[in-house]
Amino acid sequence: MIQNSLIAGTDPLDAIDEFQAIVDDIPSIVFRTPMSSDNGDAESAFISNDVERSLGYPRATINNLEDWWYSNVHPDDISIANDQFSRWQQADFKGLLRRQYRFKHKTEDYLWVEDLIRKHSSSTHHADQFVGTITVIEDLVKTREQLRQLSYILPGVLYQLRFVSRSDISFPLISAHSKKLFDISPSELTDSAEAFFNKVHPDDLEPLIESLEDASNKLTPWQFEFRVMVERKVIWISGRAVPDKQVEDNLIWNGLFIDNTDKKSLELELKRTNDELKRAQQVGRVGHWQANLKSRELIRSTMVRELLGLEKTDSNTSIERFNSLVHPDDLEDVKSLERLTPNNNKLQIQHRMQHTDGHYIWVEEFAELQNDGYTLIGTFRDITEQKTLELELLKKSSTDRMTGIYNRGYFTEQVDKELSRAKRNGRPLSLIILDIDHFKNCNDSYGHPFGDEVIIKIASLLENAIRSHDTAARIGGEEFAALLPETNQTDAAAVAEKLRTTISAHKFSKNGDDIFVTVTLGVAEVQPGDNWTKLFNRADKALYRGKQSGRDQVFLASDL
């Protein structure tokens, strides 16, 4: 057999010698012994030379393996080792018998060893035999003892888990903390993990076993969170393990169980709070954001994205991207957020932002600069409905009822705002004042209803003559005004002249008569030190001079 299967072409005696040398070099004690000393084949017993290297006994001094074994096993371990053998015997010697016990060294010291034994049917000796190995595991046992002592300190349960199949799982080694955490003593889990799985929450049992199966199939580190029920109390467990080795298809995992209940409770509470906050934000249409003025990065909440119609995949999270959606007329106000200082670290603004479908929404932002001097945290609230109502009310209170254009009160407020902006930015600003010529005669000749018709029409022509960001208002009975930002006196005069010719060319009709009216206009540009009164007075004086000069003309304040 050796010639055919091991070293073909070699002399059988030489092959036997070489095989014997290989066995003697194996770093474990290899042995063979008859299954029974009564079978008359005691001569077939064998033990390798490693017995001297490992345990100090010369092979020649061992005459009977069974007697030698019994005389050197620690007295406290003999009954345990025999019980394990008996259970193996009752199972018809199926599989591999593994035992760990203390064995006396030649020096009289006891060392921890592990034997592995298998039943073998010998064709040479025509009898059943036991073959196996004995390995000194003193260092391993010392390490286990250190781990056991460490397990009393660690806030968890150290374990070794043996996984064969979902119906064959056990904990060969598990620390004493298992009693405290699971109310299960280590001895209850040595041969079967059934007591452990009986504690697992029913909803988590199948996912837990499936995760173990999946990790075992892939031989990847295992991690899983699950619940156990101990005295009607739910405990969250975090389990982690790494695969160690496989012996006879038995996968061994080394791992740790930790009571994760407090952390999980905080996570669940945080999730509940976040869900409530999200629902509140959805109801109140409120989002939040955080901006880094150094990196220019802007982190937006889901609600901010929803309010603006931005996709979740929109990866551009810069401040510049956000500002690109701000209405051009409001951008300067929004940029004022970046000018906050530690001494002036809060600001509340209302402005318009463009939705991705093109329409604008009104939002209110409240921002606060953090102590680091460059982090801004703010809220973002949709106030479109509120602002629309507010603007409608404002329009009613600021609009001339007859003409529909702004009244004097609103106009003076806008002048003050535009004056401040013009001074801050060093930009031009002009005012046009318009008065209907001989309006009293018009009323006296054709009646007040016709006079109202003239006023309404001139208001309409005035509004059509200016730009969308200019402001037109009726500031008196037959007197009107227009405020033109970013416009010098020369350009404002051109607007006034065009308006004058349009009005003078318009034909009114009354009782079959064609009626034409004219207007006189005064134009003034803002000068340093101007306020509403000074600016108005200069434009009004120009208007008065135009009246004196024959009416139906434009007169400039600079020509006074």
Side-chain angles (χ1 to χ4, degrees):
M1 178 179 68
I2 294 176
Q3 183 177 9
N4 292 334
S5 61
L6 293 178
I7 41 179
T10 303
D11 183 271
L13 293 179
D14 291 339
I16 291 173
D17 290 340
E18 184 166 346
F19 182 74
Q20 179 68 54
I22 292 172
V23 170
D24 285 339
D25 282 339
I26 293 174
S28 289
I29 302 168
V30 179
F31 66 88
R32 177 184 65 211
T33 183
M35 287 186 61
S36 172
S37 57
D38 298 332
N39 63 11
D41 197 23
E43 292 181 0
S44 66
F46 164 82
I47 192 166
S48 67
N49 275 333
D50 195 67
V51 68
E52 184 170 0
R53 290 193 297 267
S54 298
L55 296 174
Y57 297 96
R59 182 168 61 178
T61 63
I62 302 173
N63 298 317
N64 186 294
L65 282 181
E66 185 173 359
D67 291 344
W68 172 77
W69 186 84
Y70 273 105
S71 62
N72 289 297
V73 175
H74 194 287
D76 293 344
D77 297 341
I78 286 182
S79 61
I80 298 174
N82 283 336
D83 287 344
Q84 291 175 310
F85 183 87
S86 296
R87 287 196 296 271
W88 186 47
Q89 184 177 28
Q90 291 170 6
D92 295 327
F93 303 112
K94 291 180 180 178
L96 191 70
L97 172 63
R98 178 196 299 269
R99 299 179 298 182
Q100 293 182 359
Y101 47 85
R102 286 163 291 182
F103 198 90
K104 188 190 299 181
H105 190 275
K106 181 69 173 177
T107 60
E108 300 294 323
D109 294 323
Y110 280 97
L111 302 178
W112 278 96
V113 300
E114 178 181 69
D115 64 16
L116 298 173
I117 308 174
R118 187 190 297 280
K119 176 184 174 182
H120 172 67
S121 296
S122 173
S123 58
T124 302
H125 297 280
H126 306 291
D128 290 333
Q129 300 174 326
F130 294 127
V131 295
T133 61
I134 299 175
T135 306
V136 176
I137 59 169
E138 185 70 15
D139 290 340
L140 174 62
V141 172
K142 286 180 179 179
T143 300
R144 282 184 179 177
E145 178 59 23
Q146 291 171 350
L147 287 175
R148 186 184 68 82
Q149 293 176 7
L150 183 61
S151 70
Y152 286 105
I153 302 172
L154 288 174
V157 176
L158 289 170
Y159 63 87
Q160 277 192 335
L161 183 144
R162 183 182 64 89
F163 187 92
V164 179
S165 66
R166 63 167 46 212
S167 60
D168 188 2
I169 306 173
S170 62
F171 289 92
L173 177 66
I174 188 166
S175 64
H177 276 315
S178 65
K179 182 65 177 177
K180 180 180 179 181
L181 187 56
F182 304 119
D183 194 27
I184 307 174
S185 63
S187 60
E188 295 178 72
L189 299 170
T190 302
D191 297 324
S192 172
E194 182 179 357
F196 169 79
F197 288 112
N198 287 340
K199 298 281 186 177
V200 176
H201 192 286
D203 293 343
D204 298 342
L205 181 57
E206 186 62 25
L208 170 61
I209 295 176
E210 286 180 355
S211 71
L212 283 169
E213 287 181 322
D214 184 62
S216 297
N217 291 334
K218 297 177 180 178
L219 289 179
T220 55
W222 174 76
Q223 182 176 344
F224 196 76
E225 281 190 337
F226 58 97
R227 292 162 291 178
V228 295
M229 305 292 294
V230 179
E231 296 180 353
R232 298 184 179 181
K233 180 182 178 182
V234 176
I235 300 174
W236 276 95
I237 302 296
S238 174
R240 297 169 180 264
V242 292
D244 183 19
K245 58 184 177 180
Q246 281 186 294
V247 178
E248 293 290 307
D249 296 326
N250 296 341
L251 184 60
I252 300 297
W253 295 83
N254 296 317
L256 177 69
F257 290 128
I258 294 178
D259 183 346
N260 212 26
T261 305
D262 290 343
K263 179 184 175 184
K264 197 67 179 181
S265 297
L266 288 174
E267 288 178 357
L268 293 174
E269 179 63 21
L270 180 60
K271 183 179 183 303
R272 183 188 65 79
T273 301
N274 285 338
D275 288 344
E276 289 179 354
L277 176 61
K278 185 176 180 180
R279 286 194 295 271
Q281 289 183 341
Q282 289 173 337
V283 172
R285 296 181 69 76
V286 179
H288 59 274
W289 52 264
Q290 179 174 314
N292 186 310
L293 299 180
K294 284 186 176 180
S295 66
R296 311 298 293 172
E297 181 183 15
L298 178 69
I299 302 172
R300 304 163 300 196
S301 70
T302 301
M303 180 51 61
V304 173
R305 291 198 302 269
E306 289 181 5
L307 291 175
L308 296 175
L310 298 172
E311 298 290 340
K312 290 183 178 180
T313 55
D314 188 341
S315 59
N316 192 336
T317 59
S318 67
I319 294 175
E320 284 66 31
R321 163 64 169 157
F322 185 85
N323 287 347
S324 70
L325 301 176
V326 176
H327 192 287
D329 292 348
D330 301 338
L331 185 56
E332 190 60 34
D333 291 337
V334 173
K335 287 186 174 181
S336 65
L337 293 172
E338 299 181 33
R339 293 192 287 269
L340 291 175
T341 65
N343 294 327
N344 180 27
N345 66 339
K346 296 179 182 178
L347 183 65
Q348 185 174 3
I349 59 172
Q350 295 181 354
H351 62 91
R352 289 157 291 181
M353 292 201 71
Q354 190 173 38
H355 191 279
T356 53
D357 65 9
H359 78 277
Y360 280 93
I361 65 171
W362 275 95
V363 299
E364 181 179 63
E365 294 193 76
F366 180 84
E368 182 173 338
L369 184 67
Q370 303 304 294
N371 292 333
D372 58 19
Y374 57 83
T375 301
L376 273 174
I377 295 178
T379 58
F380 185 95
R381 183 166 69 97
D382 181 1
I383 59 169
T384 304
E385 185 176 340
Q386 169 192 331
K387 196 68 178 180
T388 301
L389 178 60
E390 180 183 315
L391 292 175
E392 287 178 359
L393 293 174
L394 177 62
K395 185 175 182 180
K396 288 180 180 180
S397 65
S398 60
T399 302
D400 178 67
R401 290 185 179 182
M402 180 186 295
T403 63
I405 64 175
Y406 291 116
N407 58 26
R408 186 185 185 96
Y410 179 81
F411 187 76
T412 56
E413 290 178 5
Q414 291 303 112
V415 171
D416 288 338
K417 291 181 180 178
E418 291 299 336
L419 278 170
S420 297
R421 192 193 301 269
K423 291 175 183 178
R424 183 172 63 247
N425 299 326
R427 304 299 296 166
L429 173 67
S430 294
L431 174 66
I432 299 173
I433 296 180
L434 173 156
D435 187 83
I436 303 173
D437 296 331
H438 303 297
F439 183 70
K440 184 177 183 303
N441 293 339
C442 183
N443 269 339
D444 292 343
S445 301
Y446 300 103
H448 287 281
F450 179 75
D452 292 345
E453 181 185 337
V454 171
I455 288 175
I456 293 170
K457 185 61 182 179
I458 289 178
S460 175
L461 294 174
L462 170 61
E463 201 165 38
N464 290 334
I466 61 176
R467 301 162 300 186
S468 60
H469 59 275
D470 297 333
T471 305
R474 182 186 179 198
I475 60 175
E478 65 270 19
E479 193 172 27
F480 299 84
L483 187 65
L484 284 63
E486 301 288 333
T487 307
N488 58 34
Q489 181 179 259
T490 302
D491 292 337
V495 173
E497 178 59 26
K498 184 177 180 181
L499 175 61
R500 185 194 66 78
T501 58
T502 300
I503 293 173
S504 64
H506 183 79
K507 180 174 66 176
F508 293 91
S509 297
K510 180 68 176 178
N511 299 329
D513 295 333
D514 292 337
I515 304 165
F516 294 90
V517 297
T518 62
V519 295
T520 301
L521 303 95
V523 180
E525 182 179 350
V526 168
Q527 301 298 320
D530 266 354
N531 55 28
W532 158 241
T533 302
K534 291 180 180 179
L535 177 62
F536 176 80
N537 286 341
R538 289 208 315 279
D540 192 51
K541 287 179 181 179
L543 171 64
Y544 184 73
R545 182 65 64 85
K547 292 280 189 180
Q548 290 179 327
S549 302
R551 297 182 171 83
D552 190 22
Q553 61 182 285
V554 175
F555 203 93
L556 305 181
S558 61
D559 294 335
L560 291 173

